[in-house]
Amino acid sequence: AQSVTQPDIHITVSEGASLELRCNYSYGATPYLFWYVQSPGQGLQLLLKYFSGDTLVQGIKGFEAEFKRSQSSFNLRKPSVHWSDAAEYFCAVGLNTGFQKLVFGTGTRLLVSP
Amino acid sequence: DTAVSQTPKYLVTQMGNDKSIKCEQNLGHDTMYWYKQDSKKFLKIMFSYNNKELIINETVPNRFSPKSPDKAHLNLHINSLELGDSAVYFCASSIGRKDTYEQYFGPGTRLTVT
């Protein structure tokens, strides 16, 4: 069965430090990959997505992610974290079934320390 | 302007009651979704409608009944509420049913069953 794993439940990063959030997926074909962010009390917002082509994708708010087929990973990165980045981050796989069906990971909560 | 709105934002009710959550999107999208986010933040799709047609119906108790009166609205009615129904319910929409389309999420409805 398709699954998405985010191994880190919580991560604390100092403001200004770099960030990497891990995401691994299990899926037979090349999936469509997404990262969403959920700020406290808010709905989810799309940060970036990967369908094909260049494996390094740029998103909003200075985030980027790299698709590595050999590792079945799609890790999210940011070179310098801001306090406003504190939120819950979800990796998701879009199953190529002909219509939208996202399978989400369990999320990683990012805490930013001063 | 709110793109995807949900009412109510909070809903506290007793076991056995029947309640509805409403969702409206003003993006002109064709496809809408209901997700359930449990206390561990795990997000799972429940239903999806495309042009008022049900296209995804996950393993959800039949106490849950979605209704789409038009493309801009997708309501969720829950009969005989149980303690395990307590969760945050998110509505989302996308421009179409293809897997590559971004989903836009509402702010969520926090349902508490006592």
Side-chain angles (χ1 to χ4, degrees), chain A residues 51 95-97 99-101, chain B residues 97-101 103:
Chain A
F51 300 145
L95 305 182
N96 189 4
T97 55
F99 53 84
Q100 268 268 9
K101 183 175 176 181
Chain B
R97 56 187 286 169
K98 281 181 63 176
D99 2 34
T100 53
Y101 294 136
Q103 292 189 23

Side-chain angles (χ1 to χ4, degrees), chain A residues 6-7 11 24-25 40 42 45 68 74 87 89-90 92 98 100 102 114:
Chain A
Q6 293 179 248
I11 281 188
N24 292 94
Y25 66 89
Q42 304 291 320
Q45 180 185 21
K68 292 186 177 179
F74 188 56
Y89 290 80
F90 292 93
Q100 268 268 9
L102 294 180

Side-chain angles (χ1 to χ4, degrees), chain A residues 32 34 36 38 41-44 46 49 51 88 90 95-102 104-106 109, chain B residues 9 33 35 37 40-43 45 55-56 58 90 94 96-103 105-107:
Chain A
Y32 301 132
F34 304 80
Y36 281 84
Q38 183 181 21
Q42 304 291 320
L44 281 73
L46 181 69
K49 57 190 176 185
F51 300 145
E88 193 92 24
F90 292 93
L95 305 182
N96 189 4
T97 55
F99 53 84
Q100 268 268 9
K101 183 175 176 181
L102 294 180
F104 283 86
T106 48
R109 173 162 289 183
Chain B
K9 193 169 173 63
Y33 313 81
Y35 287 87
Q37 186 177 48
K40 290 186 165 57
K41 297 279 189 171
F42 183 60
L43 197 64
I45 190 165
I55 57 172
I56 295 176
E58 291 295 285
F90 286 99
S94 61
R97 56 187 286 169
K98 281 181 63 176
D99 2 34
T100 53
Y101 294 136
E102 174 181 353
Q103 292 189 23
F105 284 77

Side-chain angles (χ1 to χ4, degrees), chain A residues 58-71:
Chain A
Q58 303 296 322
I60 63 171
K61 305 185 181 188
F63 285 92
E64 66 177 27
E66 186 171 12
F67 169 59
K68 292 186 177 179
R69 185 190 305 275
S70 61
Q71 298 175 20

